Amino acid sequence: PLQKNVLHEALARALHGDVEVIPGNRENTSSDTYLDNAMLDELKSSLPPAQLVKLVDQVIVDIEAKVQEGIASAEREEIESLSRASHALKGLGASFGNDALAQLADRIQQACKRGEALQATTMALENLEDTCANSVSALQAYRQHIGGDANA
C-alpha cells in the first residue's frame, strides 16, 4: 500500500524539480489506496448525491478516454500527446485524491518534459492500463456507496 507521507514528499520534490522521481515496480494495491476518503467526504458534503454520482461517472469516462489516448500516444511515440494526456490524468487523479493515478501521470509527464521518451512510453505502456483499471474500480465502488442511480 502507498504511504501518503512518502507519496506527498515525492510529489513535492518532483513538482519542485529538486529530485528525479524514478518509477517503482508495479504493486498490487487495494482499491482503498486509490481514493482519498477525506477529499471524497468533502465532495460528498458539498454536492447533492445525484450530482456527485454524475460527476463520478464523468470522471470515470474521462479517465478511461485519457488512458487510451496516453497508451495510443506511447505506442506511436508521440511524446507531446502523451504529455498532454498525462497532464489531464494527473488532474483527474488529483480531483478525487487518487494519488496512484496522479503520481504515475506526473512521472510520465515529467519524463516527457525531460525528453526521456523511452522512460515515458515504457511507464505508460507498462503501468497506465493497470492503474486506470484499479482507479476506475475504486471510483465505481465509491459510486455504489454514494447512491447508485444518477437519476435519483
Side-chain angles (χ1 to χ4, degrees):
L2 293 173
Q3 294 178 344
K4 284 205 180 258
N5 61 334
V6 173
L7 177 62
H8 288 259
E9 289 173 17
L11 283 173
R13 286 192 309 265
L15 291 172
H16 296 297
D18 295 339
V19 297
E20 178 179 333
V21 176
I22 299 172
N25 295 332
R26 276 197 258 174
E27 297 179 20
N28 289 329
T29 53
S30 62
S31 64
D32 64 347
T33 64
Y34 279 86
L35 300 176
D36 180 342
N37 290 327
M39 184 177 285
L40 294 174
D41 288 344
E42 188 176 314
L43 278 172
K44 190 174 181 180
S45 69
S46 65
L47 294 173
Q51 190 175 1
L52 183 55
V53 167
K54 287 179 183 180
L55 178 63
V56 170
D57 287 345
Q58 187 60 53
V59 168
I60 289 170
V61 168
D62 292 347
I63 287 172
E64 290 174 334
K66 287 300 173 185
V67 164
Q68 290 309 311
E69 181 182 324
I71 290 170
S73 297
E75 288 172 342
R76 293 187 305 265
E77 297 181 10
E78 295 174 352
I79 301 308
E80 287 298 320
S81 179
L82 177 57
S83 181
R84 285 190 302 274
S86 297
H87 179 77
L89 284 167
K90 182 171 60 173
L92 288 166
S95 69
F96 277 86
N98 188 323
D99 291 338
L101 180 60
Q103 181 184 32
L104 174 60
D106 182 59
R107 291 190 331 235
I108 293 169
Q109 183 184 19
Q110 293 306 315
C112 290
K113 286 182 178 182
R114 291 189 305 265
E116 297 171 354
L118 180 60
Q119 182 182 14
T121 57
T122 299
M123 280 190 286
L125 294 173
E126 289 183 357
N127 299 301
L128 208 48
E129 194 166 29
D130 287 344
T131 300
C132 171
N134 288 328
S135 299
V136 166
S137 176
L139 283 166
Q140 289 169 335
Y142 177 69
R143 184 191 187 285
Q144 290 299 318
H145 172 73
I146 57 175
D149 186 15
N151 296 319

